[in-house]
Amino acid sequence: MIKVITYGTYDMLHYGHIRLLERAKALGDYLIVGITSDDYDKTRGKINNQQSLMERIRAVRDTGLADEIIVEEYEGQKIDDIKRLGADIFTVGSDWEGKFDYLNEYCKVVYLPRTEGISSSELRTEQRKIKVGIVGKSVYQTKFVAESSFVNGVDISCVCTSERDNSFDESKVLQTTDYDELLSSVDAVFVISTPDMHYIHAKKALLAGKHVLCASPIATSEDECRELFELAKKNNLILMDAIKTAYSTAYGRLILLAKSGKIGQVVSVDSVCTSLRDGSSMSDTDSSQKWNSICDWAPTALLPVFDILGTNYIKKTISTLFSDEEANLDAFSKIDFIFPNSVASIKVAKAAKAEGELIVTGTKGYIYVPAPWWKTDYFEIRYENPEDNRRFFYQLEGEGIRYEIVAFAKAIESKNNISCISENTSLAIASIIGDFNERKDFFKIG
Ligand code: CTP
């Protein structure tokens, strides 16, 4: 019996796939089809498959062409599979010509001509695109436009800013200073204006029937934040908090490990986020610098605290060193929390420097995420006995921004808020920013 093996993603199964499978089957007597797992595709940069692994498996199974289906989960697995399953022939489409010659050592390699004129990528692109507008001028805006090009189904069509950006292609991206003009031409808005404007911009967009992805904090008080979520629900719209770290695979996994008891009971979460960029003193006139340390960094720093310990803390203290108190610019802020069974602390600064690490302390061990933890692709679980330590690595592309855009687009399409940041967390973040502004639970240092 001649066994043939082939691999692919098979997203939105099309006749190019079916023709490939038919010809692969005809090469032998028994066809094994390897289908990529969602995680493996992520590490290969394929981030927005329309279908889940189970849906893709079902579609291949329903062709009736595969005698056996396996899941491809890691780099190098093909060699293992060929040896384990005793495959005689490995085959893929000619778009991979030459790429798998190294498998000749284990079996015969056959490249089959690819069917012209069709691919999953093209099918995804043909789907209706969500027109997104961006309001506000910041370094994130340029990053967001660049990152959105990796996501099928999203088109940045308009930017509302007072500072013209010549790097945008004028024929594709309309630039305007009029927010109403932006709202009239898009389906969704990414709000990245200064924090005091988030509530106003988000509310206006929601009232105009547009979905909103809003840089955190969504509002500078809990009440305003709650009002926006209620408005979104009432109008069947998506309102999502944009903290890119929340969308990285490594961050998601470390939260699950912390919650599943891997380090025992969590007794403390301590996170530090600082940035001391050359030439960017807190008093710069550049609008991006109008983000004080607390607004710029606290949403990210607070994320693991609230994700692991919840938002029902008993007490907190905010200690701040101002660089310009009148302008509400804090050089450094520290917040200490007391929860019923644990404690937490965050340190944020734009005019002070510390090691940007995250440590989750447990009764059996701790999770250590090295600096800069908010761009995390790696973390460790450490125990008393170093032999028990475990290291975890998950590829991170584009600082997590492209995963955030994928989640936003999927939420809009499915009409289901699949945000990685819970509403409670967004509310708790807004409440802390509000308390800072009102100097509640507050100590001034220096
Ligand atoms: N294939 C083919 N003809 C096509 C598309 C795919 O023969 N028009 C083959 C590929 O060469 C591969 C298998 O089908 O052997 C699975 O391909 P996959 O990468 O899942 O499909 P694509 O349509 O190429 O997906 P994408 O556009 O996301 O790369």
Side-chain angles (χ1 to χ4, degrees):
M1 183 170 73
I2 299 174
K3 278 189 173 183
V4 182
I5 192 162
T6 188
Y7 292 85
T9 302
Y10 302 101
D11 188 29
M12 309 171 84
L13 196 86
H14 53 70
Y15 69 85
H17 293 142
I18 294 171
R19 287 200 57 215
L20 186 286
L21 293 174
E22 282 169 349
R23 285 172 294 153
K25 176 113 179 170
L27 290 173
D29 311 301
Y30 186 85
L31 178 63
I32 305 161
V33 182
I35 304 182
T36 49
S37 71
D38 295 327
D39 268 0
Y40 182 50
D41 266 333
K42 254 192 184 178
T43 66
R44 305 192 307 149
K46 273 198 172 188
I47 54 165
N48 63 340
N49 288 337
Q50 295 299 298
Q51 294 183 302
S52 68
L53 173 62
M54 285 316 291
E55 287 169 320
R56 292 181 286 120
I57 289 177
R58 221 173 288 136
V60 170
R61 193 196 59 201
D62 290 349
T63 65
L65 292 162
D67 296 292
E68 186 174 343
I69 293 177
I70 57 170
V71 177
E72 186 182 23
E73 292 176 282
Y74 57 92
E75 185 100 44
Q77 186 184 322
K78 293 184 180 75
I79 298 176
D80 271 352
D81 292 340
I82 291 167
K83 290 205 280 193
R84 184 172 56 90
L85 301 165
D88 304 289
I89 298 174
F90 166 89
T91 186
V92 274
S94 52
D95 43 323
W96 295 98
E97 187 82 49
K99 297 263 172 32
F100 293 106
D101 288 356
Y102 69 92
L103 294 174
N104 269 311
E105 199 183 323
Y106 308 95
C107 68
K108 190 175 163 193
V109 176
V110 177
Y111 298 103
L112 292 167
R114 184 181 163 91
T115 306
E116 293 301 318
I118 182 132
S119 72
S120 304
S121 306
E122 279 165 46
L123 289 176
R124 286 191 293 258
T125 312
E126 277 166 19
Q127 289 183 319
R128 199 186 86 85
K129 287 207 170 206
I130 300 161
K131 282 203 245 162
V132 179
I134 307 180
V135 60
K137 169 74 191 166
S138 116
V139 280
Y140 295 116
Q141 191 171 324
T142 324
K143 274 191 193 170
F144 192 87
V145 172
E147 284 297 309
S148 69
S149 66
F150 292 95
V151 183
N152 293 129
V154 167
D155 185 26
I156 309 290
S157 59
C158 188
V159 167
C160 177
T161 172
S162 54
E163 301 152 61
R164 251 193 124 61
D165 190 332
N166 294 328
S167 67
F168 292 134
D169 180 345
E170 299 263 342
S171 65
K172 290 192 182 135
V173 184
L174 171 74
Q175 290 196 54
T176 176
T177 49
D178 181 355
Y179 188 44
D180 289 319
E181 186 185 3
L182 176 140
L183 288 178
S184 66
S185 69
V186 298
D187 309 307
V189 184
F190 179 41
V191 177
I192 185 69
S193 42
T194 47
D196 53 323
M197 292 301 290
H198 290 177
Y199 166 76
I200 295 163
H201 283 142
K203 185 170 177 178
K204 210 165 177 189
L206 292 169
L207 285 171
K210 314 296 171 184
H211 304 283
V212 175
L213 175 63
C214 187
S216 205
I218 289 178
T220 52
S221 82
E222 190 179 341
D223 286 348
E224 285 182 348
C225 189
R226 183 170 287 113
E227 182 194 332
L228 293 176
F229 275 110
E230 275 162 15
L231 188 57
K233 266 177 235 151
K234 201 174 114 206
N235 294 349
N236 283 325
L237 294 166
I238 301 295
L239 169 63
M240 242 171 85
D241 209 322
I243 304 174
K244 57 185 189 300
T245 307
Y247 296 88
S248 86
T249 312
Y251 176 78
R253 294 296 150 88
L254 81 85
I255 297 298
L256 294 178
L257 288 172
K259 291 192 151 207
S260 62
K262 271 271 176 262
I263 54 169
Q265 188 205 322
V266 175
V267 290
S268 184
V269 178
D270 301 274
S271 78
V272 180
C273 298
T274 70
S275 55
L276 196 61
R277 291 190 192 102
D278 282 346
S280 65
S281 83
M282 296 287 291
S283 53
D284 261 357
T285 48
D286 179 336
S287 62
S288 70
Q289 294 305 315
K290 285 191 187 138
W291 287 69
N292 55 13
S293 304
I294 199 110
C295 281
D296 209 349
W297 278 124
T300 303
L302 289 168
L303 196 63
V305 173
F306 294 148
D307 278 346
I308 296 171
L309 303 176
T311 54
N312 292 328
Y313 54 85
I314 298 166
K315 198 177 163 216
K316 72 165 183 311
T317 310
I318 307 174
S319 313
T320 288
L321 173 72
F322 281 106
S323 48
D324 181 346
E325 190 172 359
E326 228 166 89
N328 204 27
L329 291 177
D330 57 330
F332 166 88
S333 289
K334 181 170 191 284
I335 309 180
D336 293 290
F337 295 91
I338 296 178
F339 286 79
N341 301 308
S342 53
V343 292
S345 75
I346 68 157
K347 274 196 267 188
V348 295
K350 289 178 86 178
K353 195 70 198 157
E355 184 73 6
E357 61 191 13
L358 168 66
I359 298 174
V360 185
T361 310
T363 50
K364 291 185 184 154
Y366 66 99
I367 296 175
Y368 173 70
V369 194
W373 76 261
W374 54 92
K375 289 185 191 173
T376 175
D377 57 7
Y378 174 78
F379 65 90
E380 291 180 26
I381 298 192
R382 293 180 177 172
Y383 296 99
E384 184 68 23
N385 179 0
E387 280 177 17
D388 297 333
N389 290 358
R390 291 283 172 272
R391 298 185 172 87
F392 297 83
F393 181 81
Y394 301 93
Q395 191 74 27
L396 176 73
E397 306 282 356
E399 297 176 22
I401 296 172
R402 68 184 71 165
Y403 309 129
E404 179 179 86
I405 302 173
V406 169
F408 185 49
K410 282 200 173 149
I412 292 173
E413 273 157 21
S414 66
K415 297 189 169 52
N416 178 15
N417 199 341
I418 45 167
S419 170
C420 291
I421 304 164
S422 73
E423 191 176 318
N424 273 351
T425 295
S426 296
L427 290 169
I429 290 171
S431 151
I432 292 214
I433 303 296
D435 289 350
F436 172 86
N437 290 341
E438 284 171 22
R439 311 289 187 253
K440 192 176 155 214
D441 302 331
F442 190 84
F443 281 102
K444 191 172 118 181
I445 56 170

